[in-house]
Amino acid sequence: MGKIKSLEELMKIKEEALKNVKMREAGKRGKIVVAMGTCGIAAGAKDTLKAVVETLDELNIDDIAVVQSGCMGLCEVEPTIEVALEGEEPIIYGRVTPENAKRIIKSHIVDGELVSDLIVKRGEV
Ligand code: FES
């Protein structure tokens, strides 16, 4: 990219970038938030994140965003993930091993059925 010469040019670039972000967000019907706080990482959250990304890929699901967050304050049930689908109450799942991550994606995201034995919280954290 060349040198930005004016404020006007800078604003234009910013506007374009915002438009792109909005478009990307608009194309998604939900997100999976993986808690990557210290406890989460110690409990294996990196493997969970990897399993989430790989499973979405395997199932050709590209309308779910994957986001990392800090601590959700749920140490005893880490690794945790939040599944937030458009128009639905967000669900926090705990003890999300890579196997459980697969189960959650197949059941909650593909079939629309909550995995009740892994739910630790409903609603915003
Ligand atoms: S301190 Fe954040 S999950 Fe334990």
Side-chain angles (χ1 to χ4, degrees):
M1 192 195 294
K3 219 173 169 189
I4 298 166
K5 291 183 202 83
S6 66
L7 182 62
E8 205 179 310
E9 207 176 326
L10 180 66
M11 295 305 281
K12 215 172 146 205
I13 291 169
K14 197 176 151 197
E15 225 172 81
E16 284 297 312
L18 275 178
K19 245 193 258 165
N20 279 339
V21 169
K22 281 217 179 102
M23 239 192 294
R24 240 182 292 151
E25 278 175 359
K28 305 284 181 197
R29 67 178 172 104
K31 62 178 179 180
I32 297 178
V33 184
V34 183
M36 300 290 278
T38 322
C39 292
I41 290 175
K46 280 188 186 161
D47 291 334
T48 303
L49 176 66
K50 200 167 158 248
V52 166
V53 172
E54 282 173 4
T55 307
L56 290 174
D57 211 42
E58 272 167 32
L59 298 173
N60 289 319
I61 300 171
D62 59 6
D63 56 357
I64 300 290
V66 180
V67 186
Q68 299 180 37
S69 82
C71 165
M72 289 198 204
L74 299 165
C75 315
E76 61 293 347
V77 290
E78 293 292 338
T80 51
I81 67 170
E82 177 191 321
V83 177
L85 301 182
E86 227 171 45
E88 287 176 23
E89 184 182 43
I91 303 290
I92 315 283
Y93 290 106
R95 301 194 174 88
V96 186
T97 57
E99 293 72 37
N100 284 341
K102 269 191 194 163
R103 228 177 104 202
I104 292 165
I105 291 171
K106 285 184 181 156
S107 176
H108 189 153
I109 294 184
V110 177
D111 300 333
E113 280 167 31
L114 305 186
V115 183
S116 33
D117 58 310
L118 297 174
I119 294 177
V120 292
K121 211 165 179 269
R122 289 164 184 259
E124 302 289 338
V125 184

